[in-house]
Amino acid sequence: MGGAGVLARRTGAVVPTSWSPGFIEELLPSSQQVSLLYHLSYLCLAKFPKLERLLRMRAVETQLLFGSSEAVLLKCVGTSQNLVSSLFPMLTHAVEKNKPTLAVQYLEKARTWINEIIRDVEKMVERYDIHNRDVATTTSDIITEKKETDKQLSQLSKDIAAMMETVKKLEAELNKTTAQLTETEKKIDAKNRELQNLVRDAAAKSSRLAILAALVPFIGPLLKAFYEARNAPAVAENIKALESELNQLSAEKTSLKQQQWNLQVQIIDWRMKLAKLQLDKDSIPEPTYLGEVQRYLTKIQKILIQLKGFWENVYSLLGTIKERTFVGEHLDEPDFKEEFLKSIRTASQIWEAFGQSCGRAVQIFRVQSKDAYRFLEIDPASLSQAVWQKEYDSVKERLQQLKVFDDSPKLAIQQ
């Protein structure tokens, strides 16, 4: 095994993650849901200019936040491209020419790029946290204002009371589905950790896998390489069994997520009908859409936290290579050198795909920061009843068209 075996043992503390470019699939519907729910809230506050201005301010803040998120993801694209076009060719040159000192310099430069991204993402996470608290304050302000105006009303109609009861039943069903989804996600996380540990242990016994595990923090390519190597059949059977369980759990998760979203759309529809009746009685509608806005902002924030953790892992992996591989003791070994060069070629392809995935994220934030909030340019109070209804129907249709993506391909081998 030689130098690669040493690398495998020394990189054992750094666990490759199954986190993959598939996070984009979560980012797209979440960002769209935020703007559409803002739109609904904006329509519901048409008769209340003070609250309408407050909501517009929060929506504009979200729009600006998405613009800053776009800039951070663009930096991720640039760094991924730099790894492919600069770092990996330089490492190849250093290995071929037996120049470990040069390789260390290149790796440290790459770690500097990555450290900048980590700091930028951390700042974005903090900004989302502050903004979400501001949205919560706005929700509280609307509730306070609603209480004051509702005092002037004798009582809500029986129709409104019936609608509220329907919404409560749907919310109870949604809470039950969400609990089932959370439990399924916990099972998936546990199986993923089990699969990671199994693949990591197998990688430590294979020269090529050990090097690839250090260069690529994705578990999919490691699985693919392991199967192609056609060794350790007993381990391969265990891995296949875990993959099968993961695929089954992922299918269950996708089904629950779709069920969850269908219930959310139904609740949104009933709340909109309720809001319309409340507006007819000059009562401020419940600010429930803003609660949903907070939820999806939190979801985007969690994706950014994942992104930060991902780059921290990459930073650590490159540090391991720098400190424990390019020490001059293994570069003269032909087998080690050839395996390292093969792994760099594989890593280049994987990182290129990751950069493209981040590029799609850039486009998602770009659309959301520029086009999705144009409804703020129109005063909802100026809309006729027919135009207001048409606007509502349009937003409702777009919400219903949002689909939950299938998670299972991200857990299987990436081709």
Side-chain angles (χ1 to χ4, degrees), residues 278-343:
Q278 289 172 320
L279 283 170
D280 291 341
K281 288 183 171 290
D282 293 327
S283 171
I284 299 172
E286 296 285 349
T288 47
Y289 301 126
L290 286 184
E292 292 296 301
V293 165
Q294 287 175 253
R295 194 160 71 86
Y296 290 114
L297 285 173
T298 298
K299 194 170 184 178
I300 295 171
Q301 183 186 26
K302 287 179 179 178
I303 290 172
L304 290 173
I305 291 171
Q306 282 184 299
L307 183 64
K308 176 174 173 284
F310 167 77
W311 284 114
E312 286 172 341
N313 192 31
V314 175
Y315 184 88
S316 176
L317 287 170
L318 293 183
T320 300
I321 295 174
K322 185 191 79 169
E323 298 296 338
R324 299 176 179 176
T325 304
F326 289 103
V327 292
E329 57 184 286
H330 304 306
L331 293 187
D332 291 332
E333 299 177 14
D335 291 343
F336 173 80
K337 183 181 293 188
E338 180 58 28
E339 293 294 350
F340 201 100
L341 294 176
K342 284 182 180 177
S343 294

Side-chain angles (χ1 to χ4, degrees), residues 20-32:
S20 75
F23 82 98
I24 301 303
E25 295 179 355
E26 293 285 343
L27 188 60
L28 178 59
S30 295
S31 59
Q32 289 176 321

Side-chain angles (χ1 to χ4, degrees), residues 85-131:
S85 63
S86 180
L87 175 64
F88 292 151
M90 289 173 177
L91 286 180
T92 298
H93 175 75
V95 170
E96 288 175 341
K97 301 300 181 182
N98 293 339
K99 295 182 178 180
T101 303
L102 196 59
V104 168
Q105 292 174 355
Y106 296 152
L107 285 164
E108 192 53 41
K109 185 175 181 181
R111 277 160 56 87
T112 301
W113 304 333
I114 292 167
N115 206 28
E116 289 178 4
I117 289 181
I118 292 171
R119 289 197 302 269
D120 288 347
V121 175
E122 192 169 15
K123 290 176 184 176
M124 285 304 308
V125 169
E126 290 173 359
R127 285 182 59 185
Y128 271 88
D129 193 47
I130 293 170
H131 179 60

